[in-house]
Amino acid sequence: MQSCEISSDSTDDPLSSGLRSHRQPRIVVIGAGLAGLAATKILLKNGFTDVTVLEASDHVGGRVQSVQHGKATLELGATWIHGANGNPVYHLAEDNGLLEHTTDGEKSEGRISLYTKNGVAHYQTNAGKRIPKDLVEEFSDLYNEVYELTQEFFQNGKPVCAESQNSVGVFTRDVVRKKIMLDPDDSESTKKLKLSMLQQYLKVESCESSSPSMDEVSLSEFGEWTEIPGAHYVIPEGFMKIVQLLAQDIPSRTICLSKSVRCIHWNYSAQHQEGNARSSDNNHNDNNPPILGHPIYVECEDEEWITADHVIVTASLGVLKQNHEVMFSPSLPEDKVLAIEKLGISTTDKIFLEFEEPFWSPECNSIQFVWEDEAQLEQLVYPEELWYKKICSFDVLYPPERYGYMLSGWICGQEALYMERCDDETVAETCTELLRRFTGNPDIPKPWRILRSSWGSNPFIRGSYSFTRVGSSGEDCERLAMSLPYTDSSKAPPLQVLFAGEATHRKYYSTTHGALLSGQREATRLIEMYQDLHRAETTKPNM
């Protein structure tokens, strides 16, 4: 059984000296992703010395997973720094020289669309024909016009009509279809092509939102997600460099890897603990908490118990959905459970294919799959054997001097989980057949290497990132972020269980900066509470 080393060194900082008559608070951080590392770094910097990080996997980083490939770094997880001005991830990268070799092709102004930057996107039909560039641009202008309308419902308080079912997908499909069908200048064949392109655009949008379908994304809340001004950046050396910067000042003994948590027993009174201790003496049951005097003990899968005054939970929304019933004792309050159930999370996976030579033209930056037989479909959901129809595109990675001849495919939703169940050979063959079919080139060779993500089946992640599902709102993000116990009663120690992670940030959910800021937010709650306690004790009148 692995035992975590608990640090309790004393220091002479104001916070420690303020608590000298007591003891250093013991803090356990669950998860060593961006949120957990950010929280830990700030706590240590502010004088908290008794901090332990429990990470279920065998590495730090959470949903950041950079894989070295020759000169290049491939990102199976987080890829972009979204925006610059005021973005803590951007400033961390810029201040440490991580963006010095970022090419123009690896940064994007305005609304990002997966990897597509320079060059021209090739929209190909399942008949192997390329859709003319002017028709693509015409449709893109129409789609973006309607996209802007989807932002207005939240931003301008615009009421949502019943016909839209408060769904981004339903609204977008309905408005765009009507505009296409009412265009007197388009032939019937052109209209069909545009309707088919609409479905492809919605697949791309689903991958960006990490939703099974845009039909599940809330129209009334869609505009609350806030874009930070500035470009979007790729870090050539890998996003893992950000993780390393956050972790570099955290002592290695603070982080326990391969340390999965079974249950967080919180709000545990001394009476309960004594009762359990007596039960342990009588029954010789090693599964009871061995140490008294703390309101929380964390039960690990390896049977170790770790006591704490505070626990910061940074588990993903997917893990909370799957495990919250057994992960907390007592159970979470009903309103927090409801927030977990209402908010959405799905899987967006990447499929990297490397070829010895490019079969695409030099100006091609992506191959977009447009299925002409899907023009009138209402639901873009497929049975398991047709999982590949959810792949929306393959993007060309730039520059080739760094990446070689590499394509990155995108798939989301349940179909991504179907893909994860297949072996590499099956996925490589299936993708090759797709590329041959849509380009009309039967001679495209199989890639000589394939690499893909599997976020949906990862038991410690269970999804890529969150979205506001129909029926949920930003208030659910805030409810998820509320610490436990809710009561301000002096009988219950405050801030026992705190929650961080991208899904807890109302405006920046789904982003790395949202995750980082949420970890800093929860650490700051604890810092401010102990500063208030210190002030109260130092200003107490002498009796």
Side-chain angles (χ1 to χ4, degrees), residues 223-410:
E224 185 167 17
W225 187 89
T226 304
E227 186 167 2
I228 292 179
H232 307 272
Y233 295 83
V234 170
I235 302 174
E237 294 181 74
F239 219 102
M240 187 56 72
K241 292 293 182 182
I242 296 294
V243 174
Q244 293 168 359
L245 286 171
L246 289 174
Q248 68 183 8
D249 295 326
I250 300 174
S252 58
R253 61 189 170 83
T254 299
I255 301 176
C256 302
L257 299 178
S258 301
K259 196 75 171 176
S260 186
V261 170
R262 180 182 296 161
C263 184
I264 301 164
H265 302 266
W266 60 285
N267 212 21
Y268 220 75
S269 69
Q271 288 181 334
H272 282 136
Q273 291 184 10
E274 289 167 4
N276 279 338
R278 285 195 298 273
S279 175
S280 177
D281 291 338
N282 295 335
N283 300 324
H284 305 286
N285 183 354
D286 291 335
N287 291 339
N288 285 310
I291 305 173
L292 308 180
H294 297 267
I296 307 166
Y297 57 87
V298 179
E299 179 186 357
C300 299
E301 290 289 354
D302 64 4
E303 310 298 341
E304 183 177 5
W305 299 81
I306 300 173
T307 59
D309 297 292
H310 311 282
V311 173
I312 301 178
V313 179
T314 72
S316 73
L317 178 62
V319 168
L320 291 176
K321 281 180 178 289
Q322 182 78 16
N323 298 336
H324 74 81
E325 290 183 349
V326 296
M327 193 174 173
F328 297 92
S329 178
S331 300
L332 296 177
E334 288 184 12
D335 57 346
K336 190 178 283 286
V337 171
L338 192 60
I340 291 170
E341 292 174 346
K342 285 163 66 176
L343 289 168
I345 187 169
S346 184
T347 300
T348 294
D349 277 327
K350 300 176 190 175
I351 307 170
F352 292 101
L353 303 178
E354 185 171 15
F355 296 86
E356 292 187 17
E357 296 292 335
F359 60 82
W360 53 90
S361 56
E363 88 287 350
C364 175
N365 67 19
S366 64
I367 301 167
Q368 309 284 332
F369 296 152
V370 179
W371 294 86
E372 290 189 84
D373 57 349
E374 293 184 350
Q376 299 299 330
L377 282 185
E378 296 299 328
Q379 293 287 333
L380 297 175
V381 178
Y382 306 95
E384 185 165 3
E385 65 272 15
L386 297 179
W387 63 264
Y388 56 86
K389 297 193 76 172
K390 196 65 171 286
I391 298 176
C392 60
S393 64
F394 274 93
D395 295 331
V396 178
L397 270 60
Y398 287 108
E401 294 78 16
R402 179 181 296 141
Y403 293 102
Y405 305 115
M406 185 85 67
L407 299 179
S408 174
W410 298 85

Side-chain angles (χ1 to χ4, degrees), residues 5 24 66 95 103 142-143 159 182 198 230 242 255 259 284 367 370 374 402 457 493:
E5 182 179 348
Q24 269 276 335
S66 306
D95 293 347
T103 67
L142 169 60
Y143 181 87
L182 291 173
L198 167 61
I242 296 294
I255 301 176
K259 196 75 171 176
H284 305 286
I367 301 167
V370 179
E374 293 184 350
R402 179 181 296 141
S457 54

